[in-house]
Each structure stands twice: as structure tokens, then as C-alpha cells.
Amino acid sequence: MSMNDFWIAPSILAADFARLGEEVTDVLDAGADLIHFDVMDNHYVPNLSVGPAVLSSLRAHGVTAKMDVHLMVKPVDRIIGDFINAGADMITFHPEASDHVDRSLSLIRDAGLQCGLVLNPATPLSVLDYTLEGLDMVLVMSINPGFGGQQFLPSTLGKIEAIRRRIDAVKPGTRLEVDGGVKTDNIRRIKDAGADTFVAGTAIFGTTDYRQVIDEMRRELSAP
Ligand code: DX5
Ligand code: ZN
């Protein structure tokens, strides 16, 4: 896998929301590949973040980068159209939050966006049965969703390896994204387990020099 195949996706959850447009522009200038947009509803997860209006505002601010919308909401379907209209490029959701997973995926796909499923730490791989062939991305949670700044759960490394094997066997090219507690000191292990897309909130926005962290992550990713 070449370097360009690894994507670093800063999560806006750890950004300064009072200056969100500037924060997103800064992190893209610092070398981020896409923006991870965390949507929480205080129902599916015990926290509240931002909705489609904020994504529209970022587009109006001039952000053209790929927007990776991670829905932590229940139900899923009603809000999908709003994120399509707001300018999302890819939408992932938790299968536990949708009564009809295939329908939710179709809503995203039929609008020409990329779609993906999110697996919580305790979600079995069986949610990929009958779905993987139609996914552009599998997102593995390496924490329990709802909050940034949590510790990476090492037990998820074996799960990432198992999903990598499945993707390679069934649908090579599907992105394998990992979300939660990703830092410069563990990103290499996560890559070695098979991930190619790395969400990082606190590790990036919690520092003052975004470029330095992203460069360091890329150095770790390019290490043999
Ligand atoms: C948590 C979110 C994550 C979160 C990651 O539910 O899905 O994207 O922002 O934050 P860090 O990188 O701080 O663990
Ligand atoms: Zn996320």
C-alpha cells in the first residue's frame, strides 16, 4: 500500500467550535486528507454535537475537502437527505440505529455518495454479511462512541485484522477506517492491523501545531 493510500481524517469534535471554519481550513492546510464530521443526538449516544446546518456553513465558508459524516443518531433515515443536501461526500451510520440497514445504505448510495457501516467495539462482524459488497467504507470504533479523548481499546486490533482479511477477500478497495484514541504513538500498530483511514480528534486539535502532528503520523505510517 503506498503512502497516498493512507488518509488522515481530523475529527471536528475536538476543534474550537467558535472558530470552526478556520479550524477546518487550518487542518486541511496542515495536510489532512478529509474531515471527519461527528453527528451526535443525545439519544443513540449520550452527547450532542452538530447537524447539517454546520456542514452547509463549512461549504459556504469555502471548504471543498471530502466530508466524512459519521452519524451517531437514531433513527438514521430521516436525517440522511439533510446531510446529502448539506454537501456530505460519505455517510456512515451504526447498523444498530437503523431498522432497515439496506434501505439506509441505498438512500446514501442512490444520491451518489459513498456509504459505510460503523462497528462499535461489541458489534459482531456479522453485520458485514450481505452488506460488505455494497460498502465503500467500514468504520471500526476503537472506543465506545459519544465522546472524544478516550483511550484506544487494544482489543479492537484483532477485529481490524479480521475485517481487513474480509475486505481483501470480498471487496478490495473498501476503506477501513478506525475512530477513537488514535495518536502518533499507536497509529502504526493500527495501520499494521490493516486500517487505511485514521480519525484523530484530540491528537490533532488538542495541539497547537497541526502540521507537526500530521507529519509525525505520516512518518509513522511510512515506517516499514
Ligand atoms: C467519538 C467520535 C470520534 C471522536 C474521536 O464518538 O466518533 O470521532 O471525535 O476523538 P479522539 O480522536 O479524541 O478519540
Ligand atoms: Zn467519529
Side-chain angles (χ1 to χ4, degrees), residues 160-176:
I160 296 163
E161 285 170 6
I163 295 174
R164 166 52 60 198
R165 283 194 294 273
R166 230 167 130 161
I167 286 175
D168 288 349
V170 175
K171 199 186 173 209
T174 308
R175 302 301 299 191
L176 176 42

Side-chain angles (χ1 to χ4, degrees), residues 9 12 54 59 79 82 89 104 114 121 127 152 154 163 186 192 203:
I12 58 155
V54 175
R59 289 297 189 212
I79 203 81
D82 294 352
D89 295 284
S104 306
Q114 296 193 308
V127 298
F152 180 86
I163 295 174
N186 61 12
D192 288 343

Side-chain angles (χ1 to χ4, degrees), residues 11 36-38 70 72 139 141 179 199:
S11 157
H36 185 79
F37 194 94
D38 282 308
H70 174 193
M72 287 162 277
L139 172 50
M141 293 308 297
D179 185 4
V199 177

Side-chain angles (χ1 to χ4, degrees), residues 11-14 36 38 40 45 70 72 141 143-150 179-183 199-203:
S11 157
I12 58 155
L13 199 62
H36 185 79
D38 282 308
M40 300 178 176
V45 291
H70 174 193
M72 287 162 277
M141 293 308 297
I143 54 164
N144 284 292
F147 301 93
Q150 301 181 72
D179 185 4
V182 177
K183 308 219 173 307
V199 177
T202 318

